[in-house]
Amino acid sequence: MPRQSSDASTSTRAADETLEDYTLRFAPRGYRRWSPPVVATTALGGIAYLADFSIGAGIGLTHGTSNALLAITVAALIIFTTGVPISYYCARYNIDLDLVTRGSGFGYYGSVLTSVIFGSFTFIFFATEGAIMAQGLRVGLGIPLWLGYLITTLLVVPLVVYGMSALSKLQVWTTPVWLLLMVAPMAYLVLSDPESLGEWLAFAGRDGSGGVSVAAVLLGAGVALSLMAQIGEQVDYLRFMPPKTRENSRRWWISVIAAGPGWVVLGALKQATGAFLAFFVLGMAGSAATEPVEQFLGVYGLFLPGWLAVALAVVLVVVSQIKINVTNAYSGSLTWTNSMARLTRRYPGRNVFVFGNLAVALVLREANMFAFLNSVLSFYANTAIAWVVTVASDIVLNKYLLRLSPRVPEYRRGMLHPINPVGVVSFSAASVISIAMYFGALGPVLQPYSPIAAVLLALALPPLVASVTKGRFYLRRTDDGISEPRFDSTGTPVATSYRCHVCEQDFERPDVLACPRHEDVVCSLCATTDRTGTHLLPPQSSAPCRERDRVIAGR
């Protein structure tokens, strides 16, 4: 079969999927060899970060304990609720959040907007976590911060390069150590000094009067809601879940809920713990009370010799940061590669963006971003909320309740319209209005409500815009030209293998389309990098939503 040399060479660079980890596409059944508990453990290993302790400490010291606990709870409820449909979709159809976003209201190119948001999340938190690790190295080994920043950046490179294969081993083996080092000192503190809990609960904060304030709660929730984009990193692992069957249904659901939206339960507990530890060590650490290494050093020092307290605090920080920063670097490399491949129609390889993401994070650390972390997160939260809630709204309301959007997700070039106003308009309006509120453009009274405004707008606008446009901009085609259905009678992706005539690699049924110029098939990556449109099927007239669902389920 004739091939375009540029497409062939591009796809050859992506042939080793052990390295590239199915960056731009469906994760095939033949690669998903891990059990649900192993996938869940790997995903949960990515939330070992200590930034939660800093975030909780900042909220608690500023607004007081009562306001901090309410803020953390509000944020956790919102994050959990929006995370359920997204986690289910990614695990059920074995695609990441960017691919889900394409078919959930944004379109093939429109989702690049949200890829930038998520990519920014990964290097912001890589920088934050690396700064925490560098603080630990400075306390334990006397390494200057600038050198610690460099060490923490380079340390994750060999671990990230090999994707899920290496990360699953790392997360499974380090989780018990991490849990022991984090939980043991907390248990000792609570049991040995129970009065400190009462004193902490009565703490009014630097800016508080001791009572509950709606403004303080919402301001604190805005900081905690910046972590909403963490669901994107969780589902980067959940896409490797095995098929859901009658035999594994219970374990499958427990794993998806625990490692998907369930991450925020542990996250909220860590934030509350950070607020407690900051209060406890405030007299000893002063302005450094928001630094996790100082928090745990203060607790370890209660029952261990000084040298051992320092050693264990450093070990905890190092293990935690390695666990989360391999996830940040991994997910960041996926999303930046995804965006650039669509915009340039070239596939540079995931590992190019591993180094790019690390370089940006290193610059942010050297600029001392940790010093104004809460301000950065408060601003960023508005865009993260707008994205995640828009996608969740489209899945729950447009796909299932109102049937305004095709229920089965589509992500392949040629099957989607370039831009879908449902997601793009909803996300943009929610982001712009909430950011304007955050900066006080709509008045000081409304300023604390910016995160709630982002939630409500992103929830309400997708069904409104979808109703106005009658769902016409979701699908460019309903038929991918291949007679075999993409899904079996249970809705599980079909595992039949097809050979792409461009790159001559084998791909499973959900990842291929018919080629209009040749009586053969083309994979989704070759369709992505097709710079002439040779392999793209022509558009079809739109069909009513229920008819689209019927056709897509069969095709």
Side-chain angles (χ1 to χ4, degrees):
M1 291 290 180
R3 292 179 293 163
Q4 295 180 347
S5 60
S6 58
D7 287 348
S9 62
T10 293
S11 299
T12 298
R13 288 196 297 272
D16 186 355
E17 294 296 355
T18 299
L19 291 177
E20 298 306 324
D21 239 19
Y22 300 90
T23 308
L24 301 171
R25 55 166 65 111
F26 162 82
R29 190 183 303 185
Y31 186 69
R32 290 181 273 120
R33 56 187 179 272
W34 300 277
S35 67
V38 169
V39 174
T41 302
T42 304
L44 286 172
I47 63 167
Y49 54 84
L50 297 181
D52 268 332
F53 292 91
S54 294
I55 290 171
I59 298 172
L61 292 179
T62 301
H63 301 295
T65 301
S66 298
N67 291 314
L69 293 178
L70 286 173
I72 291 167
T73 301
V74 168
L77 289 173
I78 294 172
I79 291 172
F80 187 92
T81 303
T82 56
V84 171
I86 290 172
S87 298
Y88 169 77
Y89 251 59
C90 292
R92 188 75 175 92
Y93 296 106
N94 308 113
I95 53 180
D96 66 18
L97 185 50
D98 179 76
L99 271 59
V100 170
T101 299
R102 296 182 195 180
S104 296
F106 283 80
Y108 185 75
Y109 291 110
S111 63
V112 172
L113 277 173
T114 61
S115 293
V116 172
I117 299 300
F118 183 48
S120 301
F121 172 85
T122 62
F123 62 62
I124 286 173
F125 276 90
F126 189 101
T128 301
E129 296 300 322
I132 292 172
M133 183 172 172
Q135 291 163 1
L137 295 177
R138 179 190 60 188
V139 169
L141 304 176
I143 296 174
L145 283 178
W146 69 267
L147 182 57
Y149 295 154
L150 182 61
I151 292 172
T152 59
T153 300
L154 297 177
L155 190 61
V156 303
V157 173
L159 298 171
V160 176
V161 165
Y162 284 92
M164 182 67 176
S165 298
L167 297 183
S168 61
K169 296 183 179 70
L170 171 73
Q171 301 293 17
V172 167
W173 285 103
T174 56
T175 294
V177 176
W178 171 73
L179 283 173
L180 178 63
L181 290 175
M182 188 177 70
V183 173
M186 287 305 307
Y188 176 84
L189 178 58
V190 172
L191 292 174
S192 64
D193 189 10
E195 292 81 7
S196 61
L197 277 174
E199 296 172 359
W200 170 60
L201 291 173
F203 179 59
R206 292 167 177 164
D207 299 338
S209 59
V212 173
S213 163
V214 174
V217 169
L218 293 178
L219 286 170
V223 178
L225 281 169
S226 64
L227 295 169
M228 182 173 275
Q230 177 65 30
I231 193 63
E233 295 194 350
Q234 299 306 116
V235 298
D236 275 341
Y237 296 114
L238 287 183
R239 66 195 175 108
F240 295 112
M241 285 288 288
K244 177 177 170 289
T245 64
R246 181 176 299 178
E247 292 73 24
N248 75 357
S249 179
R250 183 178 180 183
R251 287 184 300 135
W252 192 92
W253 272 111
I254 291 174
S255 297
V256 169
I257 297 300
W263 76 266
V264 78
V265 176
L266 183 55
L269 290 173
K270 290 194 296 174
Q271 290 169 26
T273 301
F276 176 49
L277 290 178
F279 168 77
F280 185 80
V281 304
L282 185 60
M284 296 179 284
S287 61
T290 58
E291 297 180 8
V293 65
E294 296 290 348
Q295 294 172 359
F296 280 94
L297 184 59
V299 180
Y300 281 130
L302 295 176
F303 62 98
L304 294 173
W307 64 270
L308 185 55
V310 171
L312 291 181
V314 171
V315 170
L316 172 62
V317 168
V318 170
V319 170
S320 298
Q321 301 330 296
I322 289 176
K323 286 171 71 66
I324 180 56
N325 269 347
V326 293
T327 297
N328 282 327
Y330 173 64
S331 293
S333 69
L334 293 177
T335 194
W336 290 120
T337 306
N338 216 320
S339 300
M340 293 305 296
R342 272 176 289 162
L343 293 175
T344 65
R345 297 179 188 171
R346 296 178 182 274
Y347 186 82
R350 179 176 68 84
N351 288 323
V352 171
F353 289 97
V354 169
F355 293 99
N357 220 42
L358 299 185
V360 174
L362 180 59
V363 171
L364 290 176
R365 287 182 203 158
E366 298 291 354
N368 195 24
M369 190 197 73
F370 190 84
F372 45 92
L373 176 63
N374 278 9
S375 298
V376 172
L377 297 183
S378 296
F379 167 75
Y380 174 81
N382 295 286
T383 56
I385 293 167
W387 165 40
V388 174
V389 177
T390 295
V391 174
S393 175
D394 190 83
I395 293 173
V396 175
L397 300 180
N398 290 354
K399 293 186 184 301
Y400 279 85
L401 296 181
L402 303 177
R403 303 295 295 275
L404 296 170
S405 169
R407 183 170 294 185
V408 177
E410 180 59 80
Y411 66 92
R412 297 167 296 175
R413 183 185 175 199
M415 300 299 292
L416 295 168
H417 286 285
I419 303 290
N420 187 342
V422 172
V424 173
V425 170
S426 302
F427 163 76
S428 300
S431 296
V432 170
I433 293 173
S434 61
I435 288 173
M437 291 174 64
Y438 172 76
F439 283 109
L442 302 184
V445 175
L446 294 178
Q447 191 170 15
Y449 296 88
S450 67
I452 301 303
V455 171
L456 296 178
L457 288 169
L459 182 67
L461 287 175
L464 177 62
V465 180
S467 297
V468 171
T469 60
K470 302 185 187 309
R472 292 192 304 269
F473 296 97
Y474 280 96
L475 293 178
R476 181 176 175 268
R477 292 185 59 87
T478 57
D479 182 359
D480 63 11
I482 300 176
S483 59
E484 183 182 20
R486 295 171 64 202
F487 305 94
D488 64 21
S489 59
T490 67
T492 300
V494 172
T496 306
S497 181
Y498 289 77
R499 173 148 292 207
C500 173
H501 82 93
V502 177
C503 64
E504 298 184 346
Q505 302 293 322
D506 291 329
F507 301 92
E508 292 182 8
R509 171 63 184 93
D511 209 31
V512 295
L513 310 89
C515 178
R517 296 290 183 90
H518 314 94
E519 293 183 2
D520 218 323
V521 301
V522 60
C523 71
S524 63
L525 177 57
C526 287
T528 295
T529 57
D530 178 9
R531 293 192 287 277
T532 64
T534 301
H535 307 302
L536 299 184
L537 293 164
Q540 287 177 322
S541 58
S542 59
C545 191
R546 283 179 173 78
E547 177 66 14
R548 291 200 304 263
D549 280 337
R550 185 190 68 77
V551 172
I552 294 169
R555 294 288 184 181

